[in-house]
Coordinates of all heavy atoms in Angstrom, one line a residue:
S26 N 4.2 16.3 10.8 CA 5.4 15.8 11.3 C 5.4 14.3 11.5 O 6.4 13.6 11.3 CB 5.8 16.4 12.7 OG 6.0 17.8 12.6
A27 N 4.2 13.7 11.8 CA 4.1 12.3 12.0 C 4.0 11.5 10.7 O 4.2 10.3 10.7 CB 2.9 12.0 12.9
S28 N 3.6 12.2 9.6 CA 3.4 11.5 8.3 C 4.8 11.2 7.7 O 5.8 11.9 8.0 CB 2.5 12.3 7.4 OG 3.2 13.5 7.0
P29 N 4.8 10.3 6.7 CA 3.7 9.6 6.1 C 3.3 8.4 7.0 O 4.0 7.9 7.8 CB 4.3 9.1 4.8 CG 5.8 8.9 5.1 CD 6.1 10.0 6.0
F30 N 2.0 8.0 6.7 CA 1.4 7.0 7.5 C 1.3 5.7 6.6 O 1.1 5.8 5.4 CB 0.0 7.3 8.0 CG 0.0 8.6 8.7 CD1 -0.5 9.8 8.1 CD2 0.5 8.7 10.0 CE1 -0.5 11.0 8.8 CE2 0.5 9.9 10.7 CZ 0.0 11.1 10.1
T31 N 1.5 4.6 7.2 CA 1.5 3.3 6.5 C 0.1 3.0 5.9 O -0.1 2.4 4.8 CB 1.9 2.1 7.3 OG1 1.1 2.1 8.5 CG2 3.4 2.3 7.8
D32 N -1.0 3.4 6.7 CA -2.3 3.2 6.2 C -3.2 4.1 7.0 O -2.8 4.8 7.9 CB -2.7 1.7 6.4 CG -2.5 1.1 7.8 OD1 -2.5 1.9 8.7 OD2 -2.4 -0.1 7.9
L33 N -4.5 4.0 6.8 CA -5.5 4.8 7.4 C -5.5 4.6 8.9 O -5.6 5.5 9.7 CB -6.9 4.6 6.8 CG -8.0 5.4 7.5 CD1 -7.8 6.9 7.4 CD2 -9.4 5.1 6.8
D34 N -5.5 3.3 9.3 CA -5.5 2.9 10.7 C -4.3 3.6 11.5 O -4.5 4.2 12.5 CB -5.4 1.4 10.9 CG -5.4 1.0 12.4 OD1 -6.5 1.1 13.0 OD2 -4.4 0.6 12.9
H35 N -3.1 3.7 10.9 CA -2.0 4.3 11.4 C -2.2 5.8 11.6 O -1.9 6.4 12.6 CB -0.7 4.1 10.5 CG 0.5 4.7 11.0 ND1 1.6 5.0 10.2 CD2 0.9 5.1 12.3 CE1 2.5 5.5 10.9 NE2 2.2 5.7 12.1
A36 N -2.8 6.4 10.5 CA -3.1 7.8 10.6 C -4.1 8.2 11.7 O -3.9 9.2 12.4 CB -3.7 8.3 9.2
L37 N -5.1 7.4 11.8 CA -6.1 7.7 12.9 C -5.6 7.5 14.3 O -5.9 8.2 15.2 CB -7.4 6.8 12.7 CG -8.1 7.0 11.3 CD1 -9.4 6.1 11.3 CD2 -8.5 8.5 11.2
R38 N -4.8 6.5 14.5 CA -4.2 6.3 15.8 C -3.2 7.4 16.1 O -3.2 7.9 17.3 CB -3.4 4.9 15.8 CG -4.3 3.7 15.8 CD -3.6 2.4 16.0 NE -4.5 1.3 15.9 CZ -5.3 0.8 16.8 NH1 -5.3 1.5 18.0 NH2 -6.1 -0.2 16.6
S39 N -2.5 7.9 15.1 CA -1.6 9.0 15.4 C -2.4 10.3 15.7 O -2.1 11.0 16.6 CB -0.7 9.3 14.1 OG 0.1 8.2 13.9
A40 N -3.5 10.5 15.0 CA -4.4 11.6 15.2 C -4.9 11.6 16.6 O -5.0 12.7 17.3 CB -5.5 11.6 14.2
R41 N -5.4 10.5 17.0 CA -6.0 10.4 18.4 C -4.9 10.7 19.5 O -5.2 11.4 20.4 CB -6.6 9.0 18.6 CG -7.3 8.9 19.9 CD -8.0 7.5 20.1 NE -7.0 6.4 20.0 CZ -7.3 5.1 20.1 NH1 -8.6 4.8 20.2 NH2 -6.4 4.2 20.0
D42 N -3.7 10.2 19.3 CA -2.7 10.4 20.3 C -2.3 11.9 20.3 O -2.1 12.5 21.4 CB -1.4 9.6 19.9 CG -0.2 9.9 20.8 OD1 -0.3 9.6 22.0 OD2 0.8 10.4 20.3
I43 N -2.2 12.5 19.1 CA -1.8 13.9 19.1 C -2.9 14.8 19.7 O -2.6 15.7 20.5 CB -1.6 14.3 17.6 CG1 -0.3 13.7 17.0 CG2 -1.5 15.9 17.4 CD1 -0.2 13.8 15.5
W44 N -4.2 14.5 19.4 CA -5.3 15.3 19.9 C -5.4 15.2 21.4 O -5.6 16.2 22.1 CB -6.6 14.8 19.2 CG -7.8 15.6 19.7 CD1 -8.8 15.1 20.4 CD2 -8.1 16.9 19.4 NE1 -9.8 16.0 20.6 CE2 -9.4 17.2 20.0 CE3 -7.5 18.0 18.8 CZ2 -10.0 18.5 20.0 CZ3 -8.1 19.2 18.7 CH2 -9.3 19.5 19.3
L45 N -5.2 14.0 21.9 CA -5.5 13.8 23.4 C -4.2 14.1 24.2 O -4.4 14.5 25.4 CB -5.9 12.4 23.7 CG -7.3 12.0 23.1 CD1 -7.6 10.6 23.4 CD2 -8.4 12.9 23.7
N46 N -3.0 14.0 23.6 CA -1.8 14.1 24.5 C -0.9 15.2 24.1 O 0.0 15.5 24.9 CB -1.1 12.7 24.4 CG -1.9 11.6 24.9 OD1 -2.4 11.7 26.0 ND2 -2.0 10.5 24.2
K47 N -1.0 15.8 22.9 CA -0.1 16.8 22.5 C -0.7 18.2 22.3 O -0.1 19.2 22.4 CB 0.7 16.4 21.3 CG 1.5 15.2 21.5 CD 2.3 14.8 20.2 CE 3.2 13.6 20.4 NZ 3.9 13.2 19.2
V48 N -2.0 18.2 22.0 CA -2.7 19.5 21.8 C -3.3 20.0 23.1 O -4.0 19.2 23.8 CB -3.9 19.3 20.8 CG1 -4.6 20.6 20.6 CG2 -3.3 18.9 19.4
D49 N -3.0 21.2 23.5 CA -3.5 21.7 24.8 C -4.9 22.3 24.7 O -5.5 22.3 23.6 CB -2.5 22.7 25.5 CG -2.3 23.9 24.6 OD1 -3.1 24.2 23.7 OD2 -1.2 24.5 24.7
V50 N -5.4 22.9 25.7 CA -6.8 23.4 25.7 C -6.9 24.5 24.7 O -8.0 24.7 24.1 CB -7.2 23.8 27.1 CG1 -6.5 25.0 27.6 CG2 -8.8 24.0 27.2
V51 N -5.9 25.3 24.6 CA -6.0 26.4 23.6 C -6.2 25.9 22.2 O -6.9 26.4 21.4 CB -4.7 27.3 23.7 CG1 -4.7 28.4 22.6 CG2 -4.6 27.9 25.0

Side-chain angles (χ1 to χ4, degrees):
S26 296
S28 70
F30 306 105
T31 55
D32 53 24
L33 178 60
D34 182 74
H35 180 202
L37 296 184
R38 290 186 184 281
S39 297
R41 185 176 60 180
D42 176 65
I43 290 168
W44 179 248
L45 293 175
N46 298 311
K47 296 184 180 179
V48 179
D49 60 23
V50 69
V51 176

